[in-house]
Amino acid sequence: MGCAAEVIALDDIRASQQRQALRQQLHERFDRWLDEVEAQLPEPEPTLGQVSETILALRQQLTAGVAQTMVEHTHQEEWRRKCLRCATCERLLRARPAVPRTAQTLIGDIAMHRPYFYCRHCQLGRYPLDEVLGLHAGRIQLDVQQAAADLAIELPYDTASSLFGRLSGITVSSERLHTLTNQAAEGLTVLDVAPSRAEIDQRVAQVAAGRFRRPVLVLGIDGAYVPSRPESARGRRPGYARYRARRARWRHEWHEAKGFRFYLLDGDRIVHLLSWHQVQSEDELGKALKQVKDAGLLPEETVRLCVVGDGAEWIWKHVQALFPSACQVLDYYHCSEYLHKMAYAQYGHTLQALEWVESTLTRLYMGKVGAVLGGLRRMQPTSEEAAKAIDNCWMHLHEHRFRTHYSTLRRGGYPLGSGGIESSNKFICHVRLKRSGAWWYEESSNRMLALRCAKYNGTFDQVFTRYQHQKAEV
Ligand SMILES: [Zn+2]
């Protein structure tokens, strides 16, 4: 009796002694750091700016020092480990001389001497301390990589690199930044960057609150041209070293980044759910859409699904196959553009042309697409070119006739235009990829696009958690 209680009391005392020892060491570190700060202050009576500048320059010595002291106090058994069983052959291995390593984190460089074990039979080496500390392979730790990538997906690599250095005190070259960003985005699919069904449900519920009708969930599909560099340009670096003045031997190209965006309409506001843009074929886009559907991410029973697109055939093919019961809308502005083209061919750039467009749009708006089609049939072409334009216009409207009932759509609370996907084209593709002098290999542009989608879908952290697990499995 009393024995267990005494053991607990002894453990308590030991823990409290260890805590005090750690505190003591931390205070000593802080004192040494203060000495350094005092020595570096330019004047005995410094300005606020001078104090700030001095502390900023020395901050990582303090934060890294504190972290290092704390780390040294955890996992005591691993720091002092003398032997380890080989995970493969179960032989007992003796500790070899400790091996130094530096881990670069957002709070500074943490130096460690870790026990090393090597099995000669299996030719396998292990650092058990690295495993319990969850160290990332390589010097740069995941927190630095994520912060750096976060910046690099907004700014050109050169700018991101210098800004990152200035703000964090950590130097990462632009080439390294490029590699780190690309590594994290390797193999990302639409499902990796998509928010969970629970998150989507939550956003739907917020928009639905206090409303009689189910919210409109819009799917916009569109393509955006992005500056691309052919694979044949690999290995050649125009502007490099002494060839700086030489022009690129490869010709740049513009490739279409095909994308889709799901968003909710909340009055005049758009509530973003999911964007996915890639330089890809229409088949790949169709597959990605199907993945989203098959993963059960769309709450089809609590929303009214609506698809907006321009006249491109590939768009409607996938919509018809995947969402046959969705309300379909031909983008009003695209339609208006089409009518203008025809009117100019028929009437020239005249007032008559504009009047015809206006009355035709009004009729479409009223749902009288049949009357418009009949009118086109009766129209007397003024030239061969006009005849062709009238025919094209008739075919176009005939094909999309049930997607043009704009007045009914508006009453139902559906969108008339594809502004939602066009703005996604801009804030995901254009703002980062269209930079002066930047031409992207397809793979690099797709990785950049995937990370930017993750950022705007609110899944950037999720992408890095996935990456961390992937690295841990290797
Ligand atoms: Zn072994």
Side-chain angles (χ1 to χ4, degrees):
M1 205 209 82
C3 198
E6 265 167 43
V7 170
I8 290 170
L10 268 177
D11 277 353
D12 281 353
I13 291 165
R14 211 167 287 143
S16 132
Q17 279 172 345
Q18 275 176 13
R19 206 163 52 234
Q20 285 200 349
L22 171 62
R23 279 296 175 106
Q24 184 67 38
Q25 282 185 29
L26 288 173
H27 284 301
E28 281 162 18
R29 255 196 198 273
F30 183 63
D31 273 340
R32 287 204 297 278
W33 182 76
L34 273 184
D35 291 343
E36 183 81 9
V37 171
E38 275 174 21
Q40 301 255 332
L41 278 176
E43 285 170 49
E45 301 279 320
T47 63
L48 177 60
Q50 288 169 330
V51 171
S52 161
E53 195 182 333
T54 308
I55 292 183
L56 192 70
L58 296 173
R59 72 195 189 280
Q60 291 203 341
Q61 283 182 21
L62 177 66
T63 50
V66 167
Q68 189 163 325
T69 308
M70 290 172 77
V71 165
E72 282 163 3
H73 271 257
T74 60
H75 307 290
Q76 285 294 319
E77 69 285 5
E78 293 302 345
W79 284 100
R80 291 197 227 108
R81 185 181 276 283
K82 292 278 177 275
C83 47
L84 177 78
R85 285 217 177 272
C86 172
T88 319
C89 70
E90 301 208 337
R91 279 190 177 83
L92 197 64
L93 310 174
R94 296 211 159 276
R96 305 211 162 200
V99 180
R101 163 171 192 185
T102 303
Q104 190 174 42
T105 72
L106 276 180
I107 54 163
D109 287 357
I110 318 286
M112 286 164 276
H113 278 80
R114 324 98 81 211
Y116 177 53
F117 299 89
Y118 183 77
C119 177
R120 258 180 292 175
H121 300 271
C122 307
Q123 298 193 333
L124 280 174
R126 265 180 77 189
Y127 296 98
L129 186 71
D130 288 16
E131 294 165 25
V132 292
L133 285 176
L135 292 191
H136 202 55
R139 180 186 170 90
I140 294 179
Q141 296 304 294
L142 202 70
D143 59 346
V144 175
Q145 185 170 5
Q146 180 167 349
D150 207 350
L151 206 53
I153 63 171
E154 298 295 348
L155 297 165
Y157 286 113
D158 278 343
T159 318
S161 162
S162 64
L163 202 55
F164 188 63
R166 226 168 57 223
L167 295 176
S168 70
I170 299 167
T171 308
V172 179
S173 71
S174 65
E175 287 80 9
R176 191 91 191 92
L177 199 49
H178 183 272
T179 310
L180 291 172
T181 308
N182 272 266
Q183 274 174 355
E186 198 181 329
L188 285 176
T189 69
V190 63
L191 295 184
D192 295 317
V193 306
S196 68
R197 171 65 189 263
E199 281 162 57
I200 289 174
D201 280 342
Q202 201 184 351
R203 286 180 225 178
V204 171
Q206 274 165 6
V207 174
R211 291 226 166 102
F212 175 63
R213 286 188 295 190
R214 284 174 292 157
V216 172
L217 171 62
V218 186
L219 163 60
I221 308 175
D222 199 12
Y225 281 96
V226 295
S228 302
R229 183 188 293 230
E231 283 304 312
S232 61
R234 278 204 195 272
R236 299 181 197 166
R237 298 190 55 182
Y240 186 62
R242 64 202 176 93
Y243 301 111
R244 200 168 296 268
R246 193 175 283 176
R247 284 183 63 87
R249 296 239 188 89
W250 45 271
R251 277 178 66 83
H252 57 250
E253 299 161 354
W254 290 87
H255 288 173
E256 196 180 31
K258 292 188 173 67
F260 57 79
R261 180 188 189 189
F262 285 97
Y263 56 96
L264 295 161
L265 289 184
D266 184 10
D268 292 335
R269 221 164 56 92
I270 274 181
V271 177
H272 177 75
L273 293 181
L274 164 62
S275 271
W276 180 246
H277 299 257
Q278 294 278 279
V279 176
Q280 59 186 341
S281 68
E282 50 148 306
D283 265 358
E284 288 166 319
L285 176 126
K287 275 183 201 144
L289 261 181
K290 189 168 184 307
Q291 277 183 298
V292 172
K293 186 188 151 126
D294 291 349
L297 290 180
L298 304 175
E300 290 182 65
E301 30 337 302
T302 56
V303 296
R304 290 176 290 151
L305 184 61
C306 164
V307 188
V308 193
D310 59 25
E313 203 183 319
W314 60 269
I315 294 180
W316 300 107
K317 191 178 87 185
H318 295 297
V319 172
Q320 211 69 43
L322 292 169
F323 309 107
S325 57
C327 167
Q328 301 182 7
V329 184
L330 177 69
D331 171 49
Y332 184 76
Y333 307 97
H334 167 86
C335 183
S336 150
E337 215 173 58
Y338 213 93
L339 296 176
H340 273 98
K341 238 186 264 170
M342 195 232 84
Y344 292 148
Q346 170 75 349
Y347 303 113
H349 284 259
T350 60
L351 187 62
Q352 199 186 359
L354 293 178
E355 280 172 355
W356 181 85
V357 171
E358 204 176 310
S359 70
T360 305
L361 277 173
T362 309
R363 285 159 129 186
L364 286 179
Y365 193 84
M366 303 309 286
K368 294 180 175 158
V369 66
V372 172
L373 285 169
L376 282 171
R377 268 280 168 268
R378 289 190 298 276
M379 200 174 257
Q380 296 298 317
T382 52
S383 66
E384 220 169 278
E385 188 205 350
K388 214 190 251 168
I390 293 168
D391 266 1
N392 281 340
C393 190
W394 186 89
M395 282 194 294
H396 187 73
L397 275 180
H398 187 260
E399 191 192 333
H400 297 291
R401 62 195 177 283
F402 62 96
R403 301 182 180 124
T404 60
H405 300 163
Y406 296 112
S407 175
T408 320
L409 289 166
R410 171 158 285 179
R411 277 202 303 277
Y414 293 102
L416 307 188
S418 56
I421 177 69
E422 270 153 38
S423 91
S424 183
N425 273 340
K426 183 181 172 187
F427 68 69
I428 293 196
C429 308
H430 293 158
V431 293
R432 182 62 184 90
L433 296 187
K434 279 185 171 177
R435 294 281 184 159
S436 42
W439 299 92
W440 301 73
Y441 289 118
E442 190 172 305
E443 190 181 59
S444 307
S445 59
N446 279 346
R447 288 180 179 183
M448 177 56 77
L449 289 173
L451 285 180
R452 288 185 60 77
C453 288
K455 180 78 175 284
Y456 287 97
N457 295 343
T459 55
F460 196 64
D461 287 343
Q462 170 184 316
V463 161
F464 272 83
T465 308
R466 163 193 178 273
Y467 175 60
Q468 190 176 17
H469 290 318
Q470 264 183 354
K471 291 283 274 192
E473 277 164 24
V474 173

